[in-house]
Amino acid sequence: MSTIITPELVDLDLPSADRAAATRALAQRLADAGRVTDVEGFLADVAAREEQMPTGLEGGIGIPHARSPHVAVPTLAFGRSAAGVDFGASDGPAHLVFLIAAPASGDADHMTILATLARRLVHASFRETLLAAEDPEVAAAFITQEVGS
Amino acid sequence: MRLVAVTSCPTGIAHTYMAAEALSEAAKAAGHEMEVETQGAAGATPLDPAVIAAADAVVFAADVEVRDRDRFAGKPLVTAGVKDGINRAPELIAQAVQQAEAAPSGSTATEPVPAAATTEQHAGFGTQLRGWLMTGVSYMIPFVAAGGILIALAFVIGGAEISTKVDGGVFEGTEYPGIPNLSDVLGEAGVAGLMYAIGSTAFSMLVPILAGFIAYAMADRLGLVPGIVAGLLAVEIGAGFLGGLAGGLLAGAVVLAMKRVNVPRALEGITPIVLIPLLSTLIVGAVMIVVIGEPIASAQTALTDWLDGLSGTNSVLLGLLLGAMMAVDMGGPVNKVAYTFGLASLASGELTIMAAVMAAGMTPPLACALATVLRPKLFTDVERKAGETAWLLGASFITEGAIPFAAADPARVIPPLVAGSATAGGLSMAFGATSRAPHGGIWVVGVIGSPLLYIVAILAGVAVGTVGILALKAQRGPVEADPEVAAVEPAAAPVAHRAAAAH
């Protein structure tokens, strides 16, 4: 569990009905992996954050995220949607969705991993590689390598 | 160019770092050096004060209050939401570079606030308010300079009748119809008329720009619409720059409050684009017209009636009073009553009152200009530059030249200016100076009766105003850096009689 993401936490065919469905699918994966202790509680925290301001960003990405007491370890779930999921970005739906989960009281070292991930997200090459990744193993390995954890 | 940035967001785990990365990359791509302080959950490592001191401009991409923002006081600043930091990083970098280039050379080299001082100085309301006002003033000053100098030159070239020629009215017994179609202005009133028309147009934007950018400083881009509309309405209802100042602050406050409201998800998308601009403009506009406009109109009527009752009594007293009124709001409702009173007296052949009013209107910019020369340390860089133009504007009876000073620090500037203008007005009456021109300042000295004593009256008023400003400002002590002015080319300051005169 030392890596920020594993192949089990990747969903290359994300439910695309709306952002709640997409987020729930990814959160469930985190819970199944034992990284989130309470799916409903965590989703409520994510929704609260999403209420403040939609997390969709230009370039087709959505980054629902929260710091939550229901998170055991800083972690990430990654989903891809060919149809796109609306995350409120001005230029259209998100094709890449990163659900970022941080413990409420994580120490700075752990947070640094998430910070590194966030920094990678703005690079077009990072996004393009993930759009092209053919299976979850490749995607997870690529993210892990990029984040350097 | 060397830039610094601070990024922050509510959760502090994603946007903060994405914006930091995007800004760094954009800066690098544009060939600039940039250091970013991420105020996020992984802890913030404060920027080295030396790095801040060396920076040419600052970018805040933040959705929550930037911590210890006093560290950046005086630097050209671009503020944006954290998402803009991600989505529009190259644009923000370009804006920062532009601001750094436009900034007065002194401001980039301002001394850093010592690190130890930052915690105590944590922006009190007074500091914040001053920062907002200075931002509005700094955007307004180029309009003052461009418009004021054009108008002054128009008087120099075209004589005192130029404004009447363009706007219509009676001057020296000749009735001018005005020039309804602006495109005829060059043919009918010559180059001076053209310059007057252009200058007047630039001048008409003073108060809207002041109000708009005060609101912008408070509430970012969403503040602009209600702020500018509040300024336009302030002009329309005759509330002058003080009305604009109040309207700008109100607009900023209303937008800030609206941003805090949680809206239903369904409305989220249109909130910043439609709902906030619509509602804030409606609210602020209604307040300006109904709450401020009505009382101003009735107060003006009452003041005018009162002045009418006073005429014929003690003329020196009347001069003192009219003089004080000219400087109270420089183009606002009180100024306008005094100026209109002067015009009416002129029309009825009573020439001393017009002279007193004009003397009192020339004093404020001259007093401000002189004060910046005598004790430059008491003024910000922006103000000192405004002082340079204020000489010409004061000499031309363009009272608006003092507005940048008055708007930036009303409590310490307006009372001395009122005292100075009252002195000038009272002395002018005492000397029995007369004026056959309703404007033009020193350039119409040929139609002034007792010109030498008239100039003495003006100089005495300037002396009183200058000494008063310096005394009050010295109490506060020298200014350090300008509080986060979104810097613009500083230039000059214009005046008010145009608003007063034209109606």
Side-chain angles (χ1 to χ4, degrees):
Chain A
M1 198 133 106
S2 58
T3 57
I4 191 171
I5 191 167
T6 65
E8 291 73 43
L9 300 178
V10 175
D11 184 344
L12 294 183
D13 188 16
L14 195 60
S16 306
D18 58 24
R19 55 185 129 171
T23 307
R24 175 172 292 276
L26 290 173
Q28 193 56 53
R29 287 179 181 262
L30 293 177
D32 293 345
R35 296 180 174 218
V36 161
T37 52
D38 174 355
V39 177
E40 297 307 325
F42 174 64
L43 282 173
D45 291 334
V46 172
R49 168 62 189 81
E50 196 76 22
E51 282 293 333
Q52 288 179 311
M53 188 180 62
T55 59
L57 293 164
E58 286 173 27
I61 57 181
I63 48 162
H65 61 277
R67 302 183 69 176
S68 165
H70 310 294
V71 176
V73 54
T75 187
L76 170 74
F78 164 60
R80 192 168 74 192
S81 160
V85 186
D86 176 34
F87 269 89
S90 57
D91 69 339
H95 297 286
L96 301 177
V97 179
F98 301 85
L99 177 62
I100 305 174
S105 56
D107 61 60
D109 281 354
H110 286 128
M111 293 304 182
T112 307
I113 296 174
L114 295 181
T116 310
L117 168 73
R119 286 176 178 276
R120 299 310 304 158
L121 289 179
V122 304
H123 291 270
S125 61
F126 181 84
R127 302 197 297 261
E128 281 155 13
T129 303
L130 287 178
L131 278 172
E134 60 268 33
D135 58 49
E137 284 73 18
V138 172
F142 173 70
I143 293 173
T144 305
Q145 168 210 325
E146 284 284 306
V147 175
S149 68
Chain B
M1 198 163 277
R2 278 175 295 196
L3 307 171
V4 292
V6 176
T7 60
S8 74
C9 63
T11 325
I13 62 176
H15 289 91
T16 299
Y17 301 97
M18 296 178 72
E21 186 77 2
L23 286 169
S24 300
E25 292 291 311
K28 209 192 299 172
H32 305 294
E33 283 176 46
M34 173 172 251
E35 290 203 30
V36 185
E37 175 175 317
T38 49
Q39 297 186 349
T45 309
L47 288 166
D48 184 338
V51 170
I52 298 176
D56 298 302
V58 181
V59 178
F60 288 166
D63 281 354
V64 295
E65 188 78 8
V66 169
R67 293 197 285 269
D68 298 326
R69 59 190 293 160
D70 289 16
R71 290 176 294 160
F72 305 96
K75 296 285 179 187
L77 173 67
V78 174
T79 46
V82 72
K83 270 196 182 176
D84 284 342
I86 302 170
N87 292 332
R88 304 191 302 122
E91 202 178 311
L92 295 184
I93 297 293
Q95 280 176 18
V97 169
Q98 198 185 338
Q99 298 228 345
E101 282 165 356
S105 52
S107 81
T108 54
T110 29
E111 294 186 7
V113 180
T118 53
T119 38
E120 288 124 43
Q121 285 193 351
H122 212 211
F125 180 72
T127 314
Q128 261 187 325
L129 179 65
R130 204 175 124 71
W132 298 331
L133 296 183
M134 279 306 297
T135 301
V137 168
S138 65
Y139 279 96
M140 172 186 69
I141 284 179
F143 287 80
V144 176
I149 294 176
L150 280 171
I151 293 173
L153 290 178
F155 282 126
V156 175
I157 300 170
E161 68 271 33
I162 195 67
S163 64
T164 323
K165 262 190 197 164
V166 175
D167 294 332
V170 178
F171 182 80
E172 296 265 81
T174 312
E175 174 147 9
Y176 294 94
I179 301 171
N181 187 350
L182 204 51
S183 55
D184 300 334
V185 76
L186 188 58
E188 292 189 24
V191 173
L194 183 75
M195 290 169 78
Y196 179 80
I198 297 170
S200 304
T201 305
F203 243 42
S204 69
M205 285 307 290
L206 289 196
V207 174
I209 291 292
L210 175 68
F213 281 93
I214 287 173
Y216 173 80
M218 295 173 72
D220 277 339
R221 234 174 313 172
L222 285 173
L224 266 182
V225 179
I228 287 181
V229 172
L232 288 167
L233 290 171
V235 173
E236 199 61 36
I237 63 178
F241 88 97
L242 288 174
L245 210 142
L249 291 172
L250 175 70
V254 167
V255 172
L256 278 182
M258 286 183 173
K259 279 182 170 177
R260 299 226 167 93
V261 175
N262 279 323
V263 294
R265 172 67 60 81
L267 296 178
E268 222 164 53
I270 62 164
T271 301
I273 303 162
V274 178
L275 284 186
I276 291 185
L278 172 69
L279 293 176
S280 62
T281 305
L282 175 65
I283 292 171
V284 174
V287 169
M288 293 301 290
I289 294 174
V290 179
V291 183
I292 301 182
E294 270 294 311
I296 283 184
S298 37
Q300 278 184 307
T301 313
L303 261 180
T304 307
D305 292 347
W306 184 58
L307 282 177
D308 284 338
L310 280 183
S311 42
T313 56
N314 185 327
S315 65
V316 175
L317 197 65
L318 186 62
L320 281 171
L321 182 67
L322 287 170
M325 289 171 69
M326 287 300 288
V328 166
D329 52 3
M330 293 174 259
V334 179
N335 166 289
K336 197 175 274 188
V337 168
Y339 185 78
T340 310
F341 189 77
L343 281 187
S345 308
L346 185 65
S348 64
E350 164 56 274
L351 305 182
T352 55
I353 291 177
M354 191 66 241
V357 164
M358 184 145 82
M362 293 168 68
T363 307
L366 294 174
C368 293
L370 183 59
T372 59
V373 173
L374 292 181
R375 296 286 303 280
K377 287 217 169 82
L378 294 177
F379 295 88
T380 62
D381 215 42
V382 173
E383 287 171 324
R384 285 194 294 272
K385 296 267 170 54
E388 290 167 13
T389 352
W391 290 110
L392 176 62
L393 301 181
S396 309
F397 182 32
I398 302 179
T399 320
E400 285 88 340
I403 291 184
F405 300 89
D409 193 7
R412 293 187 188 83
V413 171
I414 295 180
L417 290 181
V418 168
S421 289
T423 307
L427 283 176
S428 171
M429 290 298 267
F431 296 151
T434 57
S435 171
R436 283 183 285 125
H439 30 231
I442 206 69
W443 314 111
V444 297
V445 75
V447 299
I448 301 283
S450 314
L452 287 181
L453 284 174
Y454 188 64
I455 288 170
V456 170
I458 292 170
L459 292 180
V462 171
V464 169
T466 304
V467 168
I469 291 174
L470 291 180
L472 290 181
K473 290 229 181 216
Q475 258 181 353
R476 184 197 58 194
V479 292
E480 314 88 38
D482 294 4
E484 83 200 29
V485 172
V488 209
E489 187 74 19
V495 180
H497 77 131
R498 154 84 190 154
H503 300 280

